[in-house]
């Protein structure tokens, strides 16, 4: 949602259009009736971007009967596509409606000013609605009462597992249920997925058990407070028991807040996800178990706010090591811990080298590169 909105801000700037506050998708798996103003601070969004893009809350009445083009914008497009193909629509139409403004629309070789606009839209203009901000702050304060905490984006949810075709650690009945969901979801193009191959390539979210192994190997003590930023975990306690045994201080919205406090957000999945977003942004360490849209948005936002620490697991290598444990050819302990720490240290050193190259090419304008290098050295 957030990425798609920011893409549409960029598109409006490129084709010199007035942007109408978008309608949120109410037909997705989330089945959420929330409007834009229920999730985001509408006035702040408009005012923050007024020098870049003209934004209105509703289509003006005088344009109600104007000629309209309904267009599916091509994903991963650059400025040329919008300036040449889309802007030509103004010759015949007064209104262009994006039939679906999913993310990755304006994402290819954009000039710096458009990229900066997308960042401002995402991390400054898109502020959550006041009631969400207040509730999110309360959850953060209650997490902080336990000490420095990890926000764990645990994508072990029914829709994620069905979409990815991942069935590791699931029963045959659970695997069949997920397969049926995938087959019956018309807009998911891939129906037949080999779950073993999918996992071996690192395309599956880590299971709760695998997360426990990972955190233990990194040296996090058992009394580490962990906030579970996720919807309902598939299988509930049956799949969370191993992680809970290792880390008893597992918290979520339902544990931190009363039923009465959460009541305004119930049945509004996008608003509940916004609460998880806030707690994740403010965490001492953020760990996503899968690189989906929210994980990328949170990681980017944390960088924008000063390179707050994020640890992205190398899933492909981790499942290979965890399988060795299950096969009895490796044990938990110092050797496993050293290997996992070194693997992830190398991942960040590789990123550091890229940032150093950017810094060198930028010449005198090297402020952001210096900040990035500092963060990556500190990992």
């Amino acid at each position: 949602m957030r990425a798609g909105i920011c893409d549409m801000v960029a598109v409006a700037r490129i084709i010199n259009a007035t942007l109408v506050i978008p309608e949120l998708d109410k037909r997705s798996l989330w089945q959420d009736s929330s409007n834009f103003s229920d999730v985001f601070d509408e006035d702040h969004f408009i005012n923050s971007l007024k020098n870049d893009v003209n934004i209105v809350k509703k289509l003006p009445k005088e344009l109600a009967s104007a000629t309209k083009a309904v267009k599916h914008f091509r994903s991963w497009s650059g400025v040329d596509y919008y300036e040449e193909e889309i802007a030509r629509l103004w010759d015949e139409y007064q209104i262009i409606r994006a039939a679906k403004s999913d993310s990755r629309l304006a994402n290819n070789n954009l000039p710096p000013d458009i990229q900066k606009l997308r960042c401002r839209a995402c991390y400054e203009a898109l502020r959550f609605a006041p009631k969400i901000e207040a509730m999110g702050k309360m959850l953060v304060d209650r997490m902080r009462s336990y000490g420095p905490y990890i926000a764990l984006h645990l994508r072990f949810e029914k829709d994620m597992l069905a979409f990815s075709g991942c069935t590791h650690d699931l029963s045959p009945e659970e695997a069949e249920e997920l397969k049926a969901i995938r087959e019956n979801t018309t807009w998911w193009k891939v129906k037949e997925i080999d779950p073993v191959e999918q996992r071996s390539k690192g395309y599956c979210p880590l299971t709760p058990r695998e997360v426990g192994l990972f955190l233990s190997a990194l040296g996090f003590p058992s009394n580490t407070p962990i906030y579970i930023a996720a919807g309902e975990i598939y299988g509930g306690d049956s799949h969370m028991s191993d992680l809970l045994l290792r880390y008893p201080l597992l918290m979520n919205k339902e544990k931190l807040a009363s039923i009465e406090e959460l009541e305004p957000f119930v049945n509004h999945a996008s608003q509940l996800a916004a609460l998880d977003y806030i707690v994740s942004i403010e965490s001492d360490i953020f760990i996503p178990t899968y690189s989906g849209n929210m994980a990328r948005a949170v990681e980017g936002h944390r960088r924008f706010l000063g390179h707050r620490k994020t640890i992205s697991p190398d899933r492909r290598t981790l499942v290979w090591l965890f399988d060795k444990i299950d096969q009895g050819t490796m044990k938990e302990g110092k050797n496993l811990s050293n290997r996992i720490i070194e693997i992830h240290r190398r991942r960040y050193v590789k990123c550091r080298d890229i940032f150093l190259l950017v810094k060198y090419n930028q010449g005198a304008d090297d402020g952001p590169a210096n900040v990035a290098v500092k963060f990556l050295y500190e990992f």
Side-chain angles (χ1 to χ4, degrees), residues 99 244 294:
L244 184 60
M294 177 171 165

Side-chain angles (χ1 to χ4, degrees), residues 12 52 80 120-121 136 138 221 268 284 343 345 352 357 361 366:
D52 300 289
D80 291 348
R120 286 199 304 276
M138 186 187 76
H268 296 290
D284 296 276
I343 287 164
R345 181 180 288 117
R352 183 195 67 197
L357 179 61
N361 288 339
D366 61 0

Side-chain angles (χ1 to χ4, degrees), residues 109-123:
N109 297 322
L110 298 178
D113 65 312
I114 300 298
Q115 291 287 24
K116 290 175 183 178
L117 174 59
R118 290 176 73 240
C119 283
R120 286 199 304 276
C122 194
Y123 305 133

Side-chain angles (χ1 to χ4, degrees), residues 108-317:
N108 192 14
N109 297 322
L110 298 178
D113 65 312
I114 300 298
Q115 291 287 24
K116 290 175 183 178
L117 174 59
R118 290 176 73 240
C119 283
R120 286 199 304 276
C122 194
Y123 305 133
E124 289 183 350
L126 277 178
R127 186 167 67 189
F128 291 117
K131 69 172 186 177
I132 294 176
E133 288 283 347
M135 186 63 179
K137 183 180 184 302
M138 186 187 76
L139 293 175
V140 169
D141 290 342
R142 291 180 182 178
M143 274 305 301
R144 290 243 178 264
S145 69
Y146 294 96
Y149 70 93
I150 293 173
L152 179 66
H153 190 219
L154 188 61
R155 291 309 316 270
F156 205 75
E157 300 149 322
K158 182 183 288 187
D159 62 332
M160 184 70 251
L161 295 174
F163 172 76
S164 60
C166 299
T167 60
H168 184 70
D169 275 352
L170 300 183
S171 68
E173 293 76 17
E174 289 172 328
E176 282 300 314
E177 179 185 19
L178 297 178
K179 183 178 180 181
I181 293 172
R182 186 168 66 253
E183 290 175 346
N184 293 326
T185 305
T186 56
W187 57 89
W188 289 351
K189 296 179 180 180
V190 181
K191 304 299 182 182
E192 293 297 327
I193 299 176
D194 183 336
V196 176
E197 181 182 1
Q198 190 84 337
R199 180 171 175 268
S200 68
K201 291 181 177 180
Y203 296 158
C204 290
L206 295 178
T207 69
R209 173 179 174 269
E210 290 169 341
V211 170
L213 287 168
F214 178 60
L215 295 177
S216 296
L218 290 180
F220 288 105
S222 61
N223 63 349
T224 301
I226 299 175
Y227 179 85
I228 303 296
E232 183 178 355
I233 301 303
Y234 189 51
D237 293 342
S238 64
H239 292 303
M240 290 293 289
S241 57
D242 188 87
L243 179 58
L244 184 60
L245 185 64
R246 290 174 183 268
Y247 294 97
L249 284 179
L250 289 184
M251 300 293 170
N252 56 21
K253 299 178 291 290
E254 291 74 18
K255 289 184 179 180
L256 291 172
S258 67
I259 294 175
E260 292 75 20
E261 289 169 329
L262 284 176
E263 195 277 331
F265 309 98
V266 173
N267 298 324
H268 296 290
S270 59
Q271 297 181 44
L272 292 172
L275 296 176
D276 284 342
Y277 189 98
I278 292 172
V279 182
S280 297
I281 289 295
E282 297 299 329
S283 65
D284 296 276
I285 299 175
F286 174 63
I287 301 179
T289 62
Y290 190 77
S291 54
N293 288 334
M294 177 171 165
R296 287 192 288 266
V298 169
E299 184 173 357
H301 203 151
R302 288 170 64 83
R303 289 178 180 173
F304 182 83
L305 293 172
H307 292 283
R308 298 174 181 179
K309 187 170 292 186
T310 297
I311 302 175
S312 298
D314 182 341
R315 296 188 301 275
R316 182 174 182 175
T317 305

